Amino acid sequence: MSIDLSLLPTPPMGFNTWNHFHMDITEQLVVETIEAFVAEGLRDAGYRYVNIDDGWMAPARDRRGRLTPDPARFPGGIRRLSDLAHQQGLKLGLYTDCGTRTCGGLPASYGHDQVDAEVFADWGIDYLKHDWCHVPFEDFPGLGEAQVAETLYGRMSDAIVKTGHPIVLSMCNWGHGHPWEWARGMAHLWRTTPDIADAFSGFTPDGVMSVCEIFHRNIVLADFAGPGGFNDPDMLEVGNGGLSAVEEEAHFALWCLMAAPLLLGNDLRSLDAATRRLITHPGLIAINQDPLCRPARMVASEGGVHRLLRPMADGSSVWALFNERACERSVPFPLGGNAAGPVSDVIADQTYDQVPGQVAVPAHGVRVFRVG
Ligand code: GLA
């Protein structure tokens, strides 16, 4: 059984609670986030999914064996939240795990795929993130991690299809077993990398990776993404305080170029103007949502400046220069003087009469040009 690929023609845009709030989530937070989507113009910019991550479940299943929301944190239940999201033209996402417990230690879906999928469908859930902690590998003697992942994600995928309810399935096994090679048709998204750290580059603790490390691991997987199935280099850290303004712009632009999910990971109830401007940037979002869905490739790399190219559905091309190093660089314009058609600077929203000879790329920054 295959999932409905038409549910996700372009990468999902939305929000997820994890990066900023971790397990400390409540119904109030979700309600206020839904309100912020509308009030801050995020819905108008294309953001739709309000995704609740780990931390929503009660510590035990109910008497009928169903997952149930934590009564103190989500007293009104999940159905009420999905109704609220739908009334606002938004969608609600939820989280579970392939193993016996979630990464945060709450009940998870191992051996309960069908009942859980049915509960999610009853609640009107539109998106499910399915994690990879506490997997009982001992139940699969002789199988490698990729085969266990295919088995367990396959079970949830089939269970969702069987409900007949349209649910986007997001696999979260951190790239273990190269899911990009086998997950298309089973899930709509597959994580390619460990969890993102709120750091541009450099040393990160075990199990998390900086924006630059993730970029390098994900950019080489461009061939595997396309309508209905996307590489997922994890949620955004824009607005969480660990990146400078230039680094945030690079992080957001690179995720747009790579056709990555744009899942905001900051507190949307206290957005500042600069963050709002970046995450609603029409030119960058148009690149992310381009219907051709051909992620950027790295076509050259010299002295820490990477040249990226992404073809667009209207026949134009997007060229980007990403300077990973800590000092500004001036490099020749990607096409020399030979651009066919008009050239615009996407981030500055400026059209050039004449193609620039040299381009200054700030330390840790990007420049993005659309040609043709
Ligand atoms: C894993 C996932 C994260 C988040 C946490 C929740 O680490 O990769 O994105 O969902 O679990 O516990």
Side-chain angles (χ1 to χ4, degrees):
M1 269 188 288
S2 173
I3 49 162
D4 179 358
L5 295 180
S6 70
L7 283 182
L8 210 62
T10 57
M13 293 174 65
F15 161 84
N16 175 294
T17 50
W18 183 254
N19 282 357
H20 192 87
F21 299 97
H22 301 281
M23 303 286 283
D24 192 11
I25 56 175
T26 60
E27 166 181 306
Q28 185 68 12
L29 166 67
V30 178
V31 171
E32 289 172 5
T33 300
I34 290 172
E35 288 166 1
F37 262 60
V38 180
E40 300 288 352
L42 299 171
R43 181 182 63 182
D44 291 344
Y47 291 92
R48 290 288 179 278
Y49 292 94
V50 178
N51 293 349
I52 304 171
D53 207 280
D54 204 352
W56 67 267
M57 299 114 165
R61 288 176 177 267
D62 70 9
R63 266 178 298 164
R64 294 159 66 199
R66 296 157 61 114
L67 287 174
T68 182
D70 184 291
R73 292 179 174 274
F74 290 85
I78 302 296
R79 178 81 224 189
R80 188 180 147 252
L81 295 176
S82 78
D83 285 345
L84 193 65
H86 296 151
Q87 280 156 20
Q88 298 296 342
L90 301 174
K91 294 173 183 290
L92 196 79
L94 211 53
Y95 163 100
T96 185
D97 181 291
C98 290
T100 52
R101 301 249 136 203
T102 71
C103 299
L106 293 171
S109 294
Y110 186 68
H112 302 276
D113 303 87
Q114 199 59 51
V115 65
D116 290 355
E118 276 159 22
V119 167
F120 300 148
D122 276 356
W123 288 345
I125 291 305
D126 305 291
Y127 183 114
L128 180 69
K129 174 171 167 183
H130 204 21
D131 213 341
W132 194 239
C133 279
H134 304 289
V135 174
F137 290 104
E138 63 279 8
D139 288 2
F140 303 89
L143 294 193
E145 191 167 356
Q147 291 160 306
V148 179
E150 268 190 84
T151 307
L152 293 186
Y153 283 107
R155 284 181 192 169
M156 182 54 87
S157 182
D158 289 347
I160 287 174
V161 172
K162 226 163 137 192
T163 67
H165 185 75
I167 298 179
V168 167
L169 179 58
S170 152
M171 285 179 45
C172 179
N173 73 331
W174 319 305
H176 294 190
H178 296 183
W180 47 89
E181 288 171 359
W182 48 264
R184 175 171 291 277
M186 181 183 286
H188 298 90
L189 305 149
W190 42 85
R191 278 276 294 276
T192 55
T193 44
D195 286 7
I196 193 167
D198 189 12
F200 180 75
S201 59
F203 176 80
T204 49
D206 266 1
V208 295
M209 272 190 176
S210 68
V211 168
C212 282
E213 280 179 284
I214 289 185
F215 161 75
H216 282 289
R217 288 229 189 161
N218 195 71
I219 188 84
V220 295
L221 302 176
D223 280 347
F224 298 99
F230 296 94
N231 295 320
D232 177 0
D234 208 5
M235 301 156 312
L236 295 160
E237 288 287 9
V238 173
N240 278 335
L243 306 175
S244 70
V246 170
E247 291 166 351
E248 290 198 334
E249 191 174 272
H251 172 31
F252 189 75
L254 292 172
W255 264 233
C256 287
L257 286 153
M258 295 192 294
L262 296 182
L263 294 175
L264 304 166
N266 56 320
D267 188 347
L268 300 179
R269 303 166 308 171
S270 52
L271 264 187
D272 59 60
T275 306
R276 190 190 307 104
R277 209 174 315 119
L278 177 60
I279 63 181
T280 59
H281 192 294
L284 291 175
I285 289 178
I287 294 171
N288 179 258
Q289 294 293 304
D290 185 66
L292 193 59
C293 291
R294 295 258 303 274
R297 273 157 220 284
M298 192 142 94
V299 293
S301 207
E302 212 189 312
V305 178
H306 311 297
R307 205 176 338 149
L308 311 180
L309 171 62
R310 176 168 174 165
M312 301 287 283
D314 66 359
S316 66
S317 308
V318 173
W319 287 89
L321 295 162
F322 169 41
N323 179 8
E324 196 174 334
R325 298 275 165 84
C327 52
E328 181 177 297
R329 293 284 307 280
S330 174
V331 296
F333 184 74
L335 291 168
N338 303 324
V343 176
S344 61
D345 178 325
V346 173
I347 296 178
D349 191 21
Q350 223 174 54
T351 304
Y352 293 113
D353 297 331
Q354 257 194 329
V355 177
Q358 290 285 118
V359 179
V361 194
H364 295 178
V366 285
R367 300 288 305 272
V368 182
F369 302 96
R370 192 158 170 169
V371 179

